[in-house]
Amino acid sequence: MKRLVYLSLAFLLLLSSLRVASFAERVGSSITPSSLRCEYLVSPLAIDTREPRLSWMIESNVRGARQTAYQIIVSGTAAKTAANEGDLWDTGKVASSQTIQIAYQGRPLNSLQQCFWKVRTWDQNNKPSSWSKPAQWTMGLMESSDWSAQWIGDKLASVENVSAAMLRRTFKLAVKVKRAIIYASALGVYELRINGRRVGDQVLAPEFTDYHTRTQYQAYDVTSLLRSGDNAVGALLGDGWYAGKIGLAQSLVKKPRNIYGNHPRLIAQLEIELANGKTERVVTDGSWRTTREGPIRSADILDGEAYDARREMAGWDEPRFDDKAWEGADVAAAISTKLVAQPNEPIRVRREITPIAVNEPKPGVYVFDMGQNMVGWCRLRGQGPAGTTVRLRHAEMLNGDGTIYADNLRGAKQTDTYTLRGGGNEIFEPHFTYHGFRYVEVTGLQSKPQLDALTGRVFHSAMTETGSFECSEPMLNKLWQNILWTQRGNMLGIPTDCPQRDERLGWMGDIQIFVGTGIFNMDMAAFFTKWMRDVRDAQAEDGRFADFSPHPFGKDKIFTGVPGWGDAGIVVPWHVWQQYGDKRMLAENFDAGKRWVEFIRRNNPDLLWKNKRGNDYGDWLNSDTLIYEAFPRKGGAVSKEIFATMMFAYATDLLSRMAAVLGKDDEAREYAALFADIKAAFNKAYTNEDGRIDGDTQAGYALALYFDLLPEQMRASAVKHMLEGIARYNGHMSTGFHSTYRMMLELTRAGHNDVAYQLIKTHTFPSWGYSIENGATTIWERWDGYVKGRGFQNKGMNSFNHYAIGAVGEWMYRVILGINNDEEHPAYEHFILRPYPGGGLNWAKGFYNSIRGKIESSWSVADGKLNFDVTIPANATATVYVPAKDAVSVTESRKPASAAAGVQFLRMENGAAVFRVQSGKYSFEAR
Ligand code: BGC
């Protein structure tokens, strides 16, 4: 009895002490860790880096909340994580404010290993938080020897209009499944099915890479699809980029298709843990059955898909199906590609669009208007007699008579056909193609369709959208939406130039220009991790970066080494470092970047980039290429040699900064010196005494200012000449792809924000507003792609979904919202909030979800009063510029700002009171 009393007393004591501890933890700590990710992904299933990097965000509603320490535990089972047992890794309490890019340093990890983890954090008062919700990651197949699956397909060579292969096999499982992951990939594109159900929701897996070098595999958790007893696994296999058409192939290598190979192949390995503790493995091999008699009669990325529903084989992906009529699969001899885990978010359907109108411009020809230029495909609903073929043609624009305008698609057919099986409602959705379109011409229907007969299915790399922008000027809101839609339409495993015509390549110049905007709009860290591998795979032996990556057409010979295009090999990693603090990105790309800079130096000993400029596109699509009605305005383009030399300088400057971050001090010094030398050569060769740059173009000044190529005392005169250049074009731009947004940023930096606002707000030609007045719902390749009353620009090159001149989105974030990273403190550990109210705007608001949490900026002006509300994520600080005549007239939450908690007045600067602000929410007011 006594024992019992003691025991229960002890138990009560224990309980109360636990209670006290957890209570203290809960009220004591002002911060909570959340949003746990591994290698930028939420609970990824296939990690093939041995030191995966972990990150979390800190949440708090207390001003000035900071993390001063953390503890991570990683365990082999969920039970162990729950019991705080870090058998794989327990960091103990680490004094650190770091919340991102923390590389795993625990016990070595094996292929297929499941890792459970959680984190707790200590705040500025050394109070621990509770443990985070647990998260997990699973290691992939890290060694090629982990693969016992074989590459399978059939003997039929892939030619135009060949049907897609179907493959299947059955297997038995003795008992229930505890956990099952299937790893799969294709040379081609594939969809998997298990027991009658689709596996995953990936579109166009395994995505576009240089398949000769590297092919991505995907992992899917299929535990819930398997059962004890009979099972079936099946796959659809299409040509994709591997064997189907690729943009520009016809003109560059005189064959439109089969660029990587003639035989699409599938590989799949199903790893099963059974409830009885045993494991099973099912792999692709000669035991699989295959046929080409299925419903996908042809499927091509550029041309579209033909589907005959009469050929559907009910139950083909179920165990009971009789596959006697199918053939044995063909096993490929050695395939030399390297299989790697897909590091980026897969392409997925992200939203649906219902058409806004359907018209009948000709009898029986129905044209649906999606109301938005989009990328993906349509789901069609309908009914009719068996054998009726419905045809869907996709286009971005209409002709004057209401029929679709398809001339700008060049060799891409973008046409799907669906042949009805008959006898009821039918639904069709393609598998292995994609289209860029706003309008869909539907023919073959018996009667006028309802609006809901079509649904636009919008897909792209499923990156999280991280930005938002709104202001009092509707045209600017439309512009911002158009930029975002253009980004959605061009991020499909690679950043493409356009999604519609027979091109759709990873053009390096375009993303070099757009990257700054792109990474505000979406979390692109994982996407660029994947694509920078494509860039390195496409680099020529002599150091030239390709014009587009992947480069399927002979990377050492053609379409390589162009100023402003190749430089993406350096510019993109630098942005990823700045935005996400990703040092590995710099480490992985430094040598490639160095080879690029050395290629240029080697061929241009006087440091002016005169030799070896490949296709030399220059400041592409500048005003000299526009159609002016009233009078020709030529001479707006900066010379290609000057442009090239400036890009050489910029790449060298960034390379030296990369070296400094990586602790490569000698190289940092060497390339800083080279940058200084290029600068000197540039000024000697192209700059005159009166501060003019040869050619006297807007672009010349904008780029020289942006790349910091001018001696300090010449900057003012360069700005003056740039303004004169704008005046010569009646207050318009003569700039091209590379210089347009950079001129906007330089105008603001030089204090001519009024001119920048005027350029972005104008509706006259050439301008963003002009395209919007002419109906743009995305960014166009050319300002005058279509003009009411005049019609279309040159059909050979007239995309209506091209993000390059949408790079002005960066200016909208940096200047209108005022959200700016601080180069000295990457990944928003510290940042700058500096909006420039102007341009007649009454208010603007928006946010950027940084890797440390949400940054918000919202301002309004009325009755001579400015309100400015900001949010600084926990564990970060900001320098905040409040436009004001002096510090005294600024309040924060109605108290004098300098006396507010978390706010410290620093100085007055160019009409703004500058404060250092701790994390939290603040409301400034200036009178
Ligand atoms: C693409 C561009 C690309 C260019 C090179 C075009 O066909 O669409 O955006 O950068 O070629 O000049």
Side-chain angles (χ1 to χ4, degrees):
M1 183 66 193
K2 230 180 180 177
R3 264 246 306 288
L4 199 68
V5 170
Y6 279 134
L7 257 176
S8 40
L9 246 170
F11 181 70
L12 270 176
L13 258 169
L14 184 78
L15 205 76
S16 61
S17 75
L18 276 180
R19 267 259 236 34
V20 169
S22 72
F23 181 75
E25 275 177 15
R26 258 184 300 127
V27 295
S29 183
S30 57
I31 60 175
T32 316
S34 70
S35 309
L36 277 60
R37 296 190 300 163
C38 172
E39 286 294 324
Y40 299 117
L41 303 173
V42 178
S43 296
L45 284 176
I47 292 294
D48 65 0
T49 143
R50 288 179 192 279
E51 296 184 357
R53 295 162 306 170
L54 307 176
S55 74
W56 58 89
M57 283 183 193
I58 292 294
E59 281 174 24
S60 175
N61 38 33
V62 171
R63 279 188 184 178
R66 281 181 300 119
Q67 172 188 298
T68 54
Y70 67 79
Q71 180 180 13
I72 299 170
I73 60 172
V74 184
S75 329
T77 65
K80 284 185 181 155
T81 340
N84 299 341
E85 201 183 312
D87 58 332
L88 294 175
W89 194 32
D90 184 341
T91 61
K93 183 177 174 182
V94 180
S96 166
S97 63
Q98 211 181 336
T99 56
I100 59 170
Q101 314 292 4
I102 298 172
Y104 173 83
Q105 299 293 327
R107 293 206 353 229
L109 300 172
N110 303 320
S111 290
L112 302 179
Q113 187 158 0
Q114 213 176 345
C115 304
F116 299 84
W117 72 287
K118 61 183 182 181
V119 60
R120 63 172 168 164
T121 52
W122 282 259
D123 71 3
Q124 62 285 354
N125 300 318
N126 200 22
K127 291 269 160 57
S129 69
S130 332
W131 286 102
S132 69
K133 285 204 203 93
Q136 55 170 297
W137 81 88
T138 306
M139 300 304 288
L141 301 175
M142 289 190 287
E143 305 290 342
S144 50
S145 58
D146 292 329
W147 287 90
S148 51
Q150 294 172 300
W151 288 98
I152 62 168
D154 60 21
K155 289 221 153 56
L156 202 69
S158 159
V159 292
E160 186 138 9
N161 293 327
V162 72
S163 53
M166 298 167 79
L167 298 120
R168 63 174 253 120
R169 74 155 278 180
T170 56
F171 56 94
K172 261 194 186 5
L173 296 174
V175 294
K176 266 182 45 190
V177 170
K178 188 172 153 228
R179 185 167 193 252
I181 308 283
I182 189 163
Y183 302 87
S185 186
L187 299 173
V189 280
Y190 75 95
E191 270 185 33
L192 284 183
R193 306 196 54 98
I194 287 182
N195 295 331
R197 282 159 65 193
R198 170 94 195 260
V199 173
D201 56 0
Q202 266 82 338
V203 180
L204 298 173
E207 303 184 357
F208 191 0
T209 57
D210 179 348
Y211 304 103
H212 292 322
T213 315
R214 191 171 47 84
T215 304
Q216 308 198 128
Y217 68 86
Q218 292 70 43
Y220 312 85
D221 187 330
V222 294
T223 313
S224 65
L225 300 182
L226 295 172
R227 52 200 176 207
S228 68
D230 290 323
N231 290 272
V233 52
L236 301 171
L237 178 62
D239 289 337
W241 294 273
Y242 179 80
K245 288 187 181 168
I246 294 185
L248 294 192
Q250 179 59 40
S251 51
L252 299 191
V253 288
K254 302 289 171 269
K255 61 172 189 176
R257 48 182 290 118
N258 302 114
I259 302 303
Y260 290 100
N262 296 318
H263 292 272
R265 297 284 173 188
L266 173 79
I267 194 164
Q269 182 157 322
L270 172 57
E271 302 276 358
I272 306 166
E273 276 176 64
L274 292 169
N276 62 9
K278 297 219 168 86
T279 59
E280 294 265 0
R281 178 180 290 169
V282 178
V283 300
T284 44
D285 58 21
S287 73
W288 286 55
R289 309 284 293 163
T290 183
T291 182
R292 295 264 186 172
E293 296 302 321
I296 302 178
R297 302 316 296 157
S298 67
D300 184 86
I301 299 281
L302 301 179
D303 284 348
E305 183 163 314
Y307 190 91
D308 186 344
R310 294 170 304 178
R311 288 171 166 271
E312 283 172 350
M313 302 183 201
W316 74 275
D317 45 7
E318 299 268 12
R320 282 183 311 280
F321 182 78
D322 178 3
D323 58 19
K324 267 204 295 296
W326 295 27
E327 297 161 27
D330 179 54
V331 176
I335 296 238
S336 65
T337 195
K338 183 173 165 39
L339 277 168
V340 300
Q342 171 162 347
N344 53 316
E345 299 87 350
I347 299 169
R348 286 198 168 109
V349 174
R350 299 297 273 175
R351 47 179 48 75
E352 294 191 338
I353 294 191
T354 313
I356 56 167
V358 54
N359 293 307
E360 192 176 0
K362 285 182 185 168
V365 176
Y366 301 102
V367 174
F368 285 80
D369 179 358
M370 311 307 294
Q372 172 63 52
N373 199 18
M374 58 159 279
V375 172
W377 56 44
C378 286
R379 181 192 281 150
L380 167 76
R381 267 179 229 87
Q383 45 176 283
T388 313
T389 296
V390 181
R391 189 178 69 168
L392 280 66
R393 287 173 69 215
H394 303 76
E396 297 184 293
M397 300 292 278
L398 293 181
N399 292 308
D401 63 1
T403 57
I404 60 166
Y405 172 79
D407 293 357
N408 69 325
L409 305 178
R410 306 193 311 215
K413 293 199 186 82
Q414 293 211 125
T415 301
D416 299 331
T417 62
Y418 177 73
T419 303
L420 275 67
R421 85 177 79 85
N425 289 328
E426 300 184 35
I427 294 178
F428 162 66
E429 196 168 337
H431 306 76
F432 301 135
T433 187
Y434 77 91
H435 314 307
F437 63 101
R438 169 172 173 175
Y439 301 98
V440 190
E441 177 205 87
V442 183
T443 49
L445 295 171
Q446 315 269 306
S447 57
K448 185 170 174 162
Q450 301 287 313
L451 267 187
D452 65 0
L454 280 197
T455 304
R457 301 262 286 162
V458 179
F459 54 75
H460 51 88
S461 287
M463 299 175 271
T464 308
E465 293 184 0
T466 46
S468 125
F469 173 91
E470 250 185 298
C471 71
S472 56
E473 168 66 50
M475 191 275 276
L476 294 184
N477 296 338
K478 183 67 184 159
L479 172 59
W480 189 83
Q481 286 293 336
N482 289 1
I483 294 168
L484 182 59
W485 271 103
T486 308
Q487 182 169 355
R488 288 175 185 148
N490 280 291
M491 300 294 168
L492 284 94
I494 62 169
T496 59
D497 57 332
C498 58
Q500 72 299 83
R501 67 181 179 221
D502 55 351
E503 192 142 352
R504 310 185 190 191
L505 295 172
W507 277 99
M508 304 259 290
D510 304 49
I511 193 62
Q512 186 264 117
I513 294 157
F514 189 72
V515 56
T517 301
I519 55 180
F520 272 125
N521 282 337
M522 294 183 189
D523 177 356
M524 300 192 73
F527 180 89
F528 282 132
T529 301
K530 182 263 177 193
W531 186 67
M532 284 310 301
R533 293 176 180 172
D534 297 332
V535 170
R536 296 195 300 278
D537 288 350
Q539 188 173 26
E541 283 302 314
D542 61 11
R544 285 173 297 171
F545 279 122
D547 300 5
F548 38 74
S549 301
H551 190 325
F553 312 121
K555 62 180 188 178
D556 290 311
K557 298 192 199 91
I558 54 169
F559 282 73
T560 182
V562 173
W565 272 255
D567 302 292
I570 290 177
V571 176
V572 171
W574 181 253
H575 275 268
V576 172
W577 156 249
Q578 282 294 318
Q579 203 79 355
Y580 307 110
D582 189 334
K583 215 184 248 192
R584 191 182 68 193
M585 176 63 77
L586 297 186
E588 284 179 353
N589 291 288
F590 180 77
D591 286 341
K594 184 172 160 180
R595 288 169 58 214
W596 167 244
V597 166
E598 289 302 337
F599 167 83
I600 306 166
R601 165 149 70 172
R602 197 161 65 239
N603 288 290
N604 298 281
D606 63 1
L607 304 184
L608 305 175
W609 194 349
K610 292 180 175 162
N611 310 310
K612 305 252 187 191
R613 301 200 300 253
N615 291 340
D616 207 14
Y617 311 113
D619 191 14
W620 192 239
L621 291 182
N622 55 69
S623 64
D624 291 5
T625 65
L626 300 172
I627 301 173
Y628 281 90
E629 238 104 68
F631 45 91
R633 289 177 187 264
K634 295 288 174 193
V638 59
S639 94
K640 289 183 175 178
E641 183 184 306
I642 295 182
F643 172 72
T645 302
M646 294 198 280
M647 290 309 308
F648 177 28
Y650 182 46
T652 306
D653 180 22
L654 292 187
L655 189 69
S656 91
R657 291 196 245 171
M658 272 167 97
V661 174
L662 293 169
K664 297 173 183 286
D665 297 344
D666 291 348
E667 279 148 314
R669 265 193 302 277
E670 179 186 346
Y671 290 106
L674 178 58
F675 174 57
D677 291 348
I678 303 170
K679 216 165 136 170
F682 169 88
N683 281 293
K684 186 149 172 258
Y686 311 123
T687 313
N688 305 331
E689 270 147 38
D690 63 350
R692 277 182 212 280
I693 297 173
D694 284 358
D696 201 17
T697 59
Q698 297 173 20
Y701 300 113
L703 295 173
L705 288 164
Y706 185 91
F707 299 145
D708 189 19
L709 298 182
L710 300 170
E712 201 49 45
Q713 73 279 9
M714 266 176 62
R715 291 184 66 91
S717 61
V719 171
K720 184 170 146 267
H721 298 316
M722 185 166 78
L723 291 169
E724 288 163 4
I726 295 172
R728 271 202 302 285
Y729 279 76
N730 278 345
H732 292 91
M733 299 169 291
S734 65
T735 44
F737 267 26
H738 296 270
S739 52
T740 296
Y741 82 99
R742 288 176 172 130
M743 182 162 82
M744 292 290 289
L745 289 166
E746 288 310 314
L747 284 168
T748 299
R749 177 147 75 133
H752 297 282
N753 207 39
D754 51 334
V755 181
Y757 267 113
Q758 175 215 317
L759 292 176
I760 202 168
K761 283 190 67 192
T762 185
H763 291 242
T764 47
F765 176 67
S767 67
W768 294 277
Y770 187 72
S771 314
I772 289 173
E773 290 215 328
N774 282 293
T777 62
T778 35
I779 301 296
W780 295 352
E781 185 170 23
R782 302 167 181 267
W783 304 110
D784 56 351
Y786 171 80
V787 176
K788 285 177 187 158
R790 188 185 79 200
F792 293 100
Q793 250 273 15
N794 178 356
K795 67 177 184 205
M797 217 189 78
N798 197 17
S799 152
F800 292 94
N801 205 344
H802 229 80
Y803 49 61
I805 53 179
V808 74
E810 185 178 340
W811 183 87
M812 298 169 85
Y813 278 105
R814 289 188 187 281
V815 175
I816 303 184
L817 297 180
I819 299 175
N820 284 278
N821 62 310
D822 178 349
E823 289 231 352
E824 302 301 313
H825 302 274
Y828 294 86
E829 189 180 15
H830 179 81
F831 57 92
I832 297 152
L833 284 172
R834 186 179 197 175
Y836 291 83
L841 303 189
N842 302 321
W843 58 268
K845 67 173 182 192
F847 62 77
Y848 169 58
N849 270 322
S850 78
I851 193 162
R852 284 173 208 273
K854 194 174 199 172
I855 296 167
E856 287 178 292
S857 166
S858 158
W859 57 261
S860 61
V861 280
D863 312 325
K865 200 180 77 183
L866 171 117
N867 285 295
F868 182 27
D869 294 347
V870 303
T871 305
I872 291 133
N875 207 34
T877 53
T879 303
V880 178
Y881 288 70
V882 183
K885 56 180 187 301
D886 52 40
V888 191
S889 56
V890 183
T891 59
E892 191 285 305
S893 298
R894 297 180 199 285
K895 288 194 283 287
S898 41
V903 180
Q904 183 198 349
F905 175 70
L906 297 178
R907 60 180 181 276
M908 287 300 298
E909 188 185 316
N910 293 336
V914 187
F915 301 94
R916 186 181 164 87
V917 180
Q918 306 296 317
S919 67
K921 286 183 184 293
Y922 300 83
S923 290
F924 292 98
E925 192 178 298
R927 293 195 174 267

